[in-house]
Amino acid sequence: MKAVDGEMCLDVSTVRRWTRRSGEENPNESTVHDQARTGRPLSASDSKHQSRVDQLIRENRCDKQIDISIEIGISQEGVHYIITNLLGYRKVFARWVPRMLTSQMKLKRVQICREMLAKFDEDGEDFFRQIVTGDESWVHHYDPESKQQSKKYRHKTSPSPKKFKVFSSARKVLLTIFWDSEGVVHTEFLEQGNTMNSTKYVNSLEKLKARLRRVRSEKVSIIHHDNARPHTSLETRTALDRLGLRTLPHPPYRPDLAPSDFFLFPKLKDYLKGNRYETDEDVKNAVLSLCRDKTADFFADGIQQVVRR
């Protein structure tokens, strides 16, 4: 064996020891690997302590590991091992949601989503081309850039850049915008100190109707807006019937299904962040400039995301 394997061969004393041991034991049970030793029995992670830890967690989901270890008399490391490896628990943060929905609200959301998907299956791409969505949002004269936008390339030895906390300016204008898969249809601006109510919104719908006759006369438009009070008031619903504007249903308290909220406004705010505008006219020109620069594919992508959501 030495002549064949060289220095990698086992020592002769090891071979003799294995030969002697295999002759004494049952050949079917003999092995060249080390046998596991019994050692000291594990008492901290036995079934008794597992049950106790599980009981304490079920009684108080916010309990700390140090408090559990003191309660049952084992180390904090042992408690951590039981919680994570044996019981499979993990401590997570609560997810922030803008409003706690009732069962009726959730059921209505499912029903409306199924109705929208059924219309998409029936009409196909024509369904997207009919939608004219609109909403309102405040646009500040100065909105500080986000931490993501302020990232810079630095060497490892360079000091970390500092960013001071800055708030949005008090001066702002309220943007009302209606758009579809082809682009922006109508925009309005409301100066600070005024509020959007049913009367002002009805006035915006009348201007939108006139605008649709001029720029979208070849197609039938369906209005899609959220459930804000000016959008669902009796005065607004009466005006929609009078103007002959059909509307799509929208679940209560669901901005994630309104294209303006989940698509257009975030991109608009990112474009304006970090820029300082002196007058309301500067803000209006910046918003209109962005709307003109975006292609029809940009707006079509925002409308089509409704199906996936």
Side-chain angles (χ1 to χ4, degrees), residues 35-115:
Q35 298 295 322
R37 298 187 179 186
T38 57
R40 184 171 180 267
L42 297 176
S43 58
S45 58
D46 56 12
S47 58
K48 176 183 176 182
H49 288 94
Q50 292 182 39
S51 301
R52 182 60 177 153
V53 171
D54 188 38
Q55 178 185 357
L56 292 174
I57 291 179
R58 291 178 181 273
E59 292 175 356
N60 183 9
R61 298 281 181 173
C62 299
D63 212 350
K64 297 180 180 179
Q65 294 183 7
I66 184 64
D67 297 331
I68 296 177
S69 65
I70 296 175
E71 177 71 21
I72 63 179
I74 62 175
S75 66
Q76 185 176 350
E77 291 77 10
V79 172
H80 177 76
Y81 178 79
I82 292 175
I83 292 176
T84 57
N85 296 76
L86 301 181
L87 299 180
Y89 284 112
R90 61 191 184 98
K91 185 170 282 190
V92 296
F93 294 100
R95 181 184 177 186
W96 185 89
V97 293
R99 188 181 182 88
M100 187 65 67
L101 300 181
T102 63
S103 300
Q104 291 78 8
M105 292 178 179
K106 295 178 182 179
L107 180 61
K108 190 172 183 180
R109 173 186 173 89
V110 174
Q111 293 174 345
I112 291 177
C113 288
R114 286 175 176 170
E115 292 177 9

Coordinates of all heavy atoms in Angstrom, one line a residue, residues 35-115:
Q35 N -17.6 6.7 16.1 CA -18.9 6.5 16.6 C -19.3 7.7 17.4 O -18.5 8.3 18.1 CB -19.0 5.2 17.5 CG -18.7 3.9 16.7 CD -19.7 3.6 15.7 OE1 -20.9 3.9 15.9 NE2 -19.3 3.1 14.5
A36 N -20.6 8.0 17.4 CA -21.1 9.2 18.1 C -21.1 8.8 19.6 O -21.5 7.7 20.0 CB -22.5 9.5 17.7
R37 N -20.7 9.8 20.4 CA -20.7 9.6 21.9 C -22.0 10.1 22.5 O -22.6 11.0 21.9 CB -19.5 10.3 22.5 CG -18.1 9.9 22.0 CD -17.0 10.5 22.8 NE -15.7 10.0 22.3 CZ -14.6 10.4 22.9 NH1 -14.6 11.2 24.0 NH2 -13.4 9.9 22.5
T38 N -22.3 9.5 23.5 CA -23.6 9.9 24.2 C -23.5 11.3 24.7 O -24.4 12.1 24.5 CB -23.9 8.9 25.3 OG1 -22.8 8.9 26.2 CG2 -24.1 7.5 24.7
G39 N -22.4 11.6 25.4 CA -22.3 12.9 26.0 C -23.3 13.3 27.0 O -24.1 12.5 27.4
R40 N -23.3 14.6 27.3 CA -24.3 15.1 28.3 C -25.6 15.2 27.7 O -25.7 15.9 26.6 CB -23.8 16.4 28.9 CG -24.7 16.9 30.0 CD -24.0 18.1 30.7 NE -24.8 18.7 31.8 CZ -25.7 19.6 31.6 NH1 -25.9 20.2 30.4 NH2 -26.4 20.1 32.6
P41 N -26.7 14.7 28.2 CA -28.0 14.8 27.6 C -28.4 16.3 27.5 O -28.2 17.1 28.4 CB -28.9 14.0 28.5 CG -28.2 14.0 29.8 CD -26.7 14.0 29.5
L42 N -29.1 16.7 26.4 CA -29.7 18.0 26.2 C -30.9 18.2 27.1 O -32.0 17.5 26.8 CB -30.0 18.3 24.8 CG -28.8 18.3 23.8 CD1 -29.2 18.5 22.4 CD2 -27.7 19.3 24.2
S43 N -30.8 19.0 28.1 CA -32.0 19.2 29.0 C -32.7 20.5 28.7 O -33.9 20.7 29.1 CB -31.5 19.1 30.4 OG -30.5 20.1 30.7
A44 N -32.0 21.5 28.1 CA -32.6 22.8 27.9 C -33.6 22.9 26.8 O -34.5 23.6 26.8 CB -31.5 23.9 27.7
S45 N -33.3 22.0 25.8 CA -34.2 22.0 24.6 C -35.0 20.8 24.5 O -35.4 20.4 23.4 CB -33.3 22.2 23.3 OG -32.4 21.1 23.2
D46 N -35.3 20.2 25.6 CA -36.2 19.0 25.6 C -37.7 19.4 25.3 O -38.0 20.6 25.2 CB -36.1 18.2 26.9 CG -36.3 19.0 28.1 OD1 -36.9 20.1 27.9 OD2 -36.0 18.6 29.2
S47 N -38.5 18.4 25.2 CA -39.9 18.7 24.9 C -40.6 19.5 26.0 O -41.5 20.3 25.7 CB -40.7 17.3 24.7 OG -40.6 16.5 25.8
K48 N -40.2 19.3 27.2 CA -40.8 20.0 28.3 C -40.6 21.6 28.2 O -41.5 22.4 28.3 CB -40.3 19.6 29.6 CG -40.8 20.3 30.8 CD -40.1 19.8 32.1 CE -40.6 20.7 33.3 NZ -39.9 20.2 34.6
H49 N -39.3 21.9 27.9 CA -39.0 23.4 27.8 C -39.6 23.9 26.4 O -40.0 25.1 26.4 CB -37.5 23.6 27.8 CG -36.9 23.4 29.2 ND1 -36.3 22.2 29.6 CD2 -36.8 24.3 30.2 CE1 -35.9 22.4 30.8 NE2 -36.1 23.6 31.2
Q50 N -39.7 23.1 25.4 CA -40.3 23.6 24.2 C -41.7 23.9 24.4 O -42.2 24.9 23.9 CB -40.1 22.5 23.1 CG -38.7 22.3 22.6 CD -38.6 21.2 21.5 OE1 -39.5 21.2 20.6 NE2 -37.6 20.4 21.6
S51 N -42.4 23.1 25.1 CA -43.9 23.3 25.3 C -44.0 24.6 26.2 O -45.0 25.4 26.0 CB -44.5 22.1 26.1 OG -44.3 20.9 25.3
R52 N -43.1 24.8 27.2 CA -43.3 25.9 28.0 C -43.0 27.2 27.2 O -43.7 28.2 27.4 CB -42.3 25.8 29.2 CG -42.3 26.9 30.2 CD -43.6 27.1 30.8 NE -43.7 28.1 31.8 CZ -44.7 28.8 32.2 NH1 -45.9 28.6 31.5 NH2 -44.7 29.7 33.1
V53 N -42.0 27.2 26.4 CA -41.7 28.4 25.6 C -42.8 28.7 24.6 O -43.2 29.9 24.4 CB -40.3 28.2 24.8 CG1 -40.1 29.3 23.8 CG2 -39.2 28.1 25.8
D54 N -43.3 27.7 24.0 CA -44.5 27.9 23.1 C -45.7 28.4 23.8 O -46.4 29.3 23.3 CB -44.8 26.5 22.4 CG -45.8 26.7 21.3 OD1 -45.8 27.6 20.6 OD2 -46.7 25.8 21.2
Q55 N -45.9 28.0 25.0 CA -47.0 28.5 25.8 C -46.9 30.0 26.1 O -47.8 30.8 26.0 CB -47.2 27.7 27.1 CG -48.3 28.2 28.0 CD -48.3 27.5 29.3 OE1 -47.6 26.5 29.5 NE2 -49.3 27.9 30.2
L56 N -45.6 30.4 26.5 CA -45.4 31.8 26.9 C -45.5 32.7 25.6 O -46.0 33.8 25.7 CB -44.0 31.9 27.5 CG -43.8 31.3 28.9 CD1 -42.3 31.4 29.3 CD2 -44.7 31.9 29.9
I57 N -45.1 32.2 24.5 CA -45.2 33.0 23.3 C -46.6 33.2 22.9 O -47.0 34.3 22.5 CB -44.4 32.4 22.1 CG1 -42.9 32.5 22.4 CG2 -44.7 33.0 20.8 CD1 -42.0 31.8 21.4
R58 N -47.4 32.1 23.0 CA -48.8 32.2 22.6 C -49.6 33.2 23.6 O -50.5 33.8 23.2 CB -49.5 30.9 22.6 CG -49.0 29.9 21.5 CD -49.6 28.6 21.6 NE -49.1 27.7 20.5 CZ -49.7 27.6 19.3 NH1 -50.7 28.4 19.0 NH2 -49.2 26.8 18.4
E59 N -49.1 33.2 24.8 CA -49.8 34.2 25.8 C -49.4 35.6 25.5 O -50.2 36.5 25.7 CB -49.4 33.8 27.2 CG -49.9 32.4 27.7 CD -49.4 32.0 29.0 OE1 -48.6 32.8 29.6 OE2 -49.9 31.0 29.5
N60 N -48.2 35.9 25.1 CA -47.7 37.2 24.8 C -46.7 37.2 23.6 O -45.6 36.8 23.7 CB -47.0 37.8 26.0 CG -46.6 39.3 25.8 OD1 -46.9 39.9 24.8 ND2 -45.8 39.8 26.7
R61 N -47.2 37.6 22.4 CA -46.5 37.5 21.2 C -45.3 38.5 21.2 O -44.4 38.4 20.4 CB -47.4 37.8 20.0 CG -48.5 36.7 19.8 CD -48.0 35.5 19.2 NE -49.0 34.5 19.0 CZ -48.9 33.3 18.4 NH1 -47.7 33.0 17.8 NH2 -49.9 32.5 18.2
C62 N -45.4 39.5 22.1 CA -44.3 40.5 22.1 C -43.3 40.3 23.2 O -42.4 41.1 23.4 CB -45.0 41.9 22.4 SG -46.1 42.5 21.1
D63 N -43.3 39.1 23.8 CA -42.4 38.8 24.9 C -41.0 38.7 24.4 O -40.7 38.3 23.3 CB -42.8 37.4 25.5 CG -42.5 37.4 27.0 OD1 -41.8 38.3 27.5 OD2 -42.9 36.4 27.7
K64 N -40.0 39.1 25.3 CA -38.6 39.1 24.9 C -38.0 37.8 25.3 O -38.4 37.2 26.2 CB -37.9 40.3 25.6 CG -38.4 41.7 25.1 CD -37.6 42.8 25.8 CE -38.1 44.2 25.4 NZ -37.4 45.2 26.1
Q65 N -36.9 37.5 24.6 CA -36.2 36.2 24.9 C -35.6 36.2 26.3 O -35.6 35.2 26.9 CB -35.2 36.0 23.8 CG -35.7 35.7 22.4 CD -34.7 35.4 21.4 OE1 -33.5 35.2 21.8 NE2 -35.0 35.2 20.1
I66 N -35.1 37.4 26.7 CA -34.5 37.4 28.0 C -35.5 37.2 29.1 O -35.3 36.5 30.1 CB -33.8 38.8 28.2 CG1 -33.0 38.8 29.6 CG2 -34.8 39.9 28.1 CD1 -31.9 37.9 29.7
D67 N -36.8 37.7 28.9 CA -37.8 37.5 29.9 C -38.2 36.0 29.9 O -38.5 35.5 31.0 CB -39.0 38.4 29.6 CG -38.7 39.8 29.6 OD1 -37.8 40.2 30.4 OD2 -39.3 40.6 28.9
I68 N -38.3 35.4 28.8 CA -38.6 34.0 28.7 C -37.6 33.1 29.4 O -37.9 32.2 30.1 CB -38.8 33.5 27.3 CG1 -40.0 34.2 26.6 CG2 -39.1 32.0 27.2 CD1 -40.3 33.9 25.2
S69 N -36.3 33.5 29.2 CA -35.2 32.7 29.8 C -35.3 32.8 31.3 O -35.0 31.8 32.0 CB -33.9 33.2 29.3 OG -33.6 34.5 29.7
I70 N -35.6 34.0 31.8 CA -35.7 34.1 33.3 C -36.9 33.4 33.8 O -36.9 32.8 34.9 CB -35.8 35.6 33.6 CG1 -34.5 36.4 33.2 CG2 -36.1 35.8 35.1 CD1 -34.6 37.9 33.4
E71 N -38.0 33.3 33.0 CA -39.2 32.7 33.5 C -39.0 31.2 33.6 O -39.5 30.6 34.6 CB -40.3 33.0 32.5 CG -41.7 32.3 32.8 CD -42.4 32.9 34.0 OE1 -42.0 34.1 34.4 OE2 -43.2 32.2 34.6
I72 N -38.4 30.5 32.7 CA -38.3 29.1 32.7 C -36.9 28.6 33.2 O -36.7 27.4 33.4 CB -38.5 28.5 31.3 CG1 -37.5 29.0 30.3 CG2 -39.9 28.9 30.8 CD1 -37.7 28.4 28.9
G73 N -35.9 29.5 33.4 CA -34.7 29.1 34.1 C -33.6 28.5 33.1 O -32.9 27.7 33.6
I74 N -33.6 28.9 31.9 CA -32.5 28.4 31.0 C -31.9 29.7 30.3 O -32.4 30.8 30.5 CB -33.1 27.5 29.9 CG1 -34.1 28.2 29.0 CG2 -33.7 26.2 30.5 CD1 -34.5 27.3 27.8
S75 N -30.8 29.5 29.6 CA -30.0 30.6 29.0 C -30.8 31.2 27.9 O -31.7 30.6 27.3 CB -28.7 30.1 28.5 OG -28.8 29.2 27.4
Q76 N -30.5 32.5 27.6 CA -31.1 33.2 26.5 C -30.8 32.5 25.2 O -31.6 32.5 24.2 CB -30.7 34.6 26.5 CG -31.5 35.5 25.4 CD -31.1 36.9 25.5 OE1 -30.4 37.4 26.5 NE2 -31.5 37.7 24.5
E77 N -29.6 32.0 25.0 CA -29.2 31.3 23.8 C -30.0 30.0 23.6 O -30.4 29.7 22.5 CB -27.7 30.9 23.9 CG -26.7 32.1 23.8 CD -26.6 32.8 25.1 OE1 -27.2 32.3 26.1 OE2 -26.0 33.9 25.1
G78 N -30.3 29.3 24.7 CA -31.2 28.1 24.6 C -32.6 28.5 24.2 O -33.2 27.8 23.4
V79 N -33.1 29.6 24.7 CA -34.4 30.1 24.3 C -34.4 30.5 22.8 O -35.4 30.1 22.1 CB -34.9 31.3 25.2 CG1 -36.1 31.9 24.7 CG2 -35.0 30.9 26.6
H80 N -33.4 31.2 22.4 CA -33.3 31.5 21.0 C -33.3 30.3 20.1 O -33.9 30.3 19.0 CB -32.0 32.4 20.7 CG -31.8 32.8 19.3 ND1 -32.5 33.7 18.7 CD2 -30.9 32.2 18.4 CE1 -32.1 33.9 17.4 NE2 -31.2 33.0 17.2
Y81 N -32.5 29.3 20.5 CA -32.5 28.0 19.7 C -33.8 27.3 19.6 O -34.2 26.9 18.6 CB -31.4 27.1 20.3 CG -31.3 25.8 19.6 CD1 -30.6 25.7 18.4 CD2 -31.9 24.6 20.1 CE1 -30.5 24.4 17.8 CE2 -31.8 23.4 19.5 CZ -31.1 23.3 18.3 OH -31.0 22.1 17.6
I82 N -34.5 27.3 20.7 CA -35.9 26.7 20.8 C -36.8 27.5 19.9 O -37.6 26.9 19.1 CB -36.4 26.6 22.2 CG1 -35.5 25.6 23.0 CG2 -37.8 26.2 22.2 CD1 -35.9 25.5 24.5
I83 N -36.8 28.8 20.0 CA -37.8 29.6 19.2 C -37.6 29.5 17.7 O -38.5 29.3 17.0 CB -37.7 31.1 19.7 CG1 -38.2 31.2 21.2 CG2 -38.5 32.0 18.8 CD1 -38.1 32.6 21.8
T84 N -36.3 29.7 17.3 CA -36.0 29.8 15.9 C -35.8 28.4 15.2 O -36.3 28.2 14.1 CB -34.7 30.6 15.7 OG1 -33.6 30.0 16.4 CG2 -34.9 32.0 16.2
N85 N -35.2 27.5 15.8 CA -34.8 26.2 15.2 C -35.9 25.1 15.5 O -36.1 24.3 14.6 CB -33.5 25.7 15.6 CG -32.3 26.6 15.2 OD1 -32.1 27.7 15.8 ND2 -31.6 26.2 14.2
L86 N -36.4 25.0 16.7 CA -37.3 24.0 17.0 C -38.8 24.3 16.8 O -39.6 23.5 16.3 CB -37.1 23.5 18.4 CG -35.6 23.0 18.8 CD1 -35.5 22.6 20.2 CD2 -35.3 21.9 17.8
L87 N -39.2 25.5 17.2 CA -40.6 26.0 17.1 C -40.8 26.7 15.8 O -42.0 26.8 15.4 CB -41.0 26.8 18.3 CG -40.9 26.2 19.7 CD1 -41.3 27.1 20.8 CD2 -41.8 24.9 19.7
G88 N -39.8 27.2 15.1 CA -40.0 27.9 13.9 C -40.6 29.3 13.9 O -41.2 29.7 12.9
Y89 N -40.5 30.0 15.1 CA -41.1 31.3 15.2 C -40.0 32.3 14.7 O -38.8 32.1 14.6 CB -41.4 31.6 16.7 CG -42.6 31.0 17.2 CD1 -42.5 30.0 18.2 CD2 -43.9 31.4 16.8 CE1 -43.7 29.5 18.7 CE2 -45.0 30.9 17.3 CZ -44.9 29.9 18.3 OH -46.1 29.3 18.8
R90 N -40.6 33.5 14.2 CA -39.7 34.6 13.9 C -40.5 35.9 14.3 O -41.7 36.0 14.0 CB -39.3 34.6 12.5 CG -40.4 34.7 11.5 CD -39.9 34.4 10.1 NE -41.0 34.6 9.1 CZ -41.1 35.7 8.4 NH1 -40.3 36.7 8.5 NH2 -42.1 35.8 7.5
K91 N -39.8 36.9 14.8 CA -40.5 38.1 15.2 C -40.5 39.1 14.0 O -39.4 39.4 13.5 CB -39.8 38.7 16.4 CG -40.5 40.0 17.0 CD -39.9 40.4 18.3 CE -40.4 39.5 19.4 NZ -40.0 40.1 20.8
V92 N -41.6 39.5 13.6 CA -41.8 40.4 12.5 C -42.5 41.7 12.9 O -43.2 41.7 13.9 CB -42.5 39.7 11.3 CG1 -41.8 38.5 10.8 CG2 -43.9 39.3 11.8
F93 N -42.3 42.7 12.1 CA -43.0 44.0 12.3 C -44.4 43.9 11.7 O -44.6 43.2 10.8 CB -42.2 45.2 11.7 CG -40.9 45.4 12.3 CD1 -39.7 45.0 11.7 CD2 -40.8 46.2 13.5 CE1 -38.5 45.2 12.3 CE2 -39.5 46.4 14.1 CZ -38.4 45.9 13.5
A94 N -45.3 44.7 12.3 CA -46.6 44.8 11.7 C -46.5 45.7 10.5 O -45.8 46.6 10.4 CB -47.6 45.5 12.7
R95 N -47.3 45.3 9.5 CA -47.3 46.0 8.2 C -48.3 47.2 8.3 O -49.4 47.1 8.8 CB -47.8 45.1 7.1 CG -47.9 45.8 5.7 CD -48.4 44.9 4.7 NE -48.5 45.6 3.4 CZ -49.1 45.0 2.3 NH1 -49.6 43.8 2.4 NH2 -49.2 45.7 1.2
W96 N -47.8 48.4 8.0 CA -48.6 49.6 8.1 C -49.6 49.7 6.9 O -49.2 49.5 5.8 CB -47.7 50.9 8.1 CG -48.5 52.1 8.3 CD1 -48.7 52.7 9.5 CD2 -49.0 53.0 7.3 NE1 -49.4 53.9 9.3 CE2 -49.7 54.1 8.0 CE3 -49.1 52.9 5.9 CZ2 -50.3 55.1 7.3 CZ3 -49.8 53.9 5.2 CH2 -50.4 55.0 5.9
V97 N -50.8 49.9 7.2 CA -51.8 50.1 6.2 C -52.6 51.4 6.6 O -52.7 51.7 7.7 CB -52.8 48.9 6.2 CG1 -52.1 47.6 5.7 CG2 -53.5 48.6 7.5
P98 N -53.1 52.1 5.5 CA -53.7 53.4 5.8 C -55.0 53.3 6.6 O -55.4 54.2 7.3 CB -53.9 54.0 4.4 CG -53.9 52.8 3.5 CD -52.9 51.8 4.1
R99 N -55.7 52.1 6.4 CA -57.0 52.0 7.1 C -57.3 50.5 7.3 O -57.0 49.7 6.4 CB -58.1 52.7 6.3 CG -59.4 52.7 7.0 CD -60.5 53.4 6.2 NE -61.8 53.5 6.8 CZ -62.1 54.5 7.6 NH1 -61.3 55.5 7.8 NH2 -63.3 54.5 8.2
M100 N -57.9 50.2 8.4 CA -58.3 48.8 8.7 C -59.6 48.6 8.0 O -60.6 49.2 8.3 CB -58.4 48.5 10.2 CG -58.7 47.1 10.5 SD -57.4 46.0 10.1 CE -56.1 46.5 11.2
L101 N -59.6 47.7 7.0 CA -60.8 47.5 6.2 C -61.7 46.4 6.9 O -61.3 45.5 7.5 CB -60.5 46.9 4.8 CG -59.6 47.9 3.9 CD1 -59.3 47.2 2.6 CD2 -60.2 49.2 3.7
T102 N -63.0 46.6 6.7 CA -64.0 45.7 7.2 C -64.2 44.5 6.3 O -63.7 44.6 5.1 CB -65.3 46.4 7.5 OG1 -65.9 46.8 6.2 CG2 -65.2 47.6 8.4
S103 N -64.9 43.5 6.7 CA -65.1 42.4 5.8 C -66.0 42.8 4.6 O -65.7 42.3 3.5 CB -65.8 41.3 6.6 OG -65.1 40.8 7.7
Q104 N -66.9 43.7 4.8 CA -67.7 44.2 3.7 C -66.9 44.9 2.7 O -67.1 44.8 1.5 CB -68.9 45.0 4.2 CG -69.9 44.3 5.0 CD -69.5 44.0 6.4 OE1 -68.5 44.5 6.9 NE2 -70.3 43.2 7.1
M105 N -65.9 45.7 3.1 CA -65.1 46.5 2.2 C -64.2 45.5 1.4 O -64.0 45.7 0.2 CB -64.2 47.5 3.0 CG -64.9 48.6 3.6 SD -63.8 49.7 4.6 CE -65.0 50.9 5.2
K106 N -63.7 44.5 2.1 CA -62.8 43.5 1.4 C -63.6 42.8 0.3 O -63.1 42.5 -0.8 CB -62.2 42.6 2.4 CG -61.2 43.2 3.3 CD -60.6 42.2 4.3 CE -59.7 42.9 5.3 NZ -59.2 41.9 6.3
L107 N -64.8 42.4 0.7 CA -65.7 41.7 -0.2 C -66.0 42.5 -1.4 O -66.0 42.1 -2.6 CB -67.0 41.2 0.5 CG -68.0 40.4 -0.4 CD1 -67.4 39.2 -0.9 CD2 -69.2 40.1 0.5
K108 N -66.3 43.8 -1.2 CA -66.6 44.7 -2.3 C -65.4 44.9 -3.2 O -65.5 45.0 -4.4 CB -67.0 46.1 -1.8 CG -67.6 47.0 -2.8 CD -68.2 48.3 -2.2 CE -68.8 49.1 -3.3 NZ -69.4 50.4 -2.8
R109 N -64.2 44.9 -2.6 CA -63.0 45.0 -3.4 C -62.9 43.8 -4.4 O -62.6 43.9 -5.6 CB -61.7 45.0 -2.5 CG -60.4 45.0 -3.3 CD -59.3 44.9 -2.3 NE -58.0 44.6 -3.0 CZ -57.2 45.6 -3.4 NH1 -57.5 46.8 -3.3 NH2 -56.1 45.3 -4.0
V110 N -63.1 42.6 -3.9 CA -63.1 41.4 -4.7 C -64.1 41.4 -5.8 O -63.8 41.1 -7.0 CB -63.3 40.1 -3.8 CG1 -63.4 38.9 -4.7 CG2 -62.1 40.0 -2.8
Q111 N -65.3 41.9 -5.5 CA -66.4 41.9 -6.5 C -66.0 42.9 -7.6 O -66.2 42.6 -8.8 CB -67.7 42.3 -5.8 CG -68.2 41.2 -4.9 CD -69.4 41.7 -4.1 OE1 -69.7 42.9 -4.0 NE2 -70.2 40.8 -3.5
I112 N -65.5 44.1 -7.2 CA -65.2 45.1 -8.2 C -64.0 44.7 -9.1 O -64.0 44.9 -10.3 CB -64.9 46.5 -7.5 CG1 -66.2 47.0 -6.9 CG2 -64.3 47.4 -8.5 CD1 -66.0 48.3 -6.1
C113 N -63.0 44.0 -8.5 CA -61.9 43.5 -9.2 C -62.3 42.5 -10.2 O -61.9 42.4 -11.4 CB -60.8 43.0 -8.3 SG -59.9 44.2 -7.4
R114 N -63.2 41.6 -9.8 CA -63.7 40.6 -10.8 C -64.5 41.2 -11.9 O -64.4 40.8 -13.1 CB -64.6 39.6 -10.0 CG -63.8 38.6 -9.1 CD -64.7 37.7 -8.3 NE -64.0 36.8 -7.5 CZ -64.5 36.0 -6.6 NH1 -65.8 36.1 -6.3 NH2 -63.7 35.1 -6.0
E115 N -65.3 42.3 -11.6 CA -66.0 43.0 -12.7 C -65.1 43.6 -13.7 O -65.3 43.5 -14.9 CB -66.9 44.0 -12.0 CG -68.1 43.5 -11.2 CD -68.9 44.6 -10.6 OE1 -68.7 45.7 -10.9 OE2 -69.8 44.3 -9.8

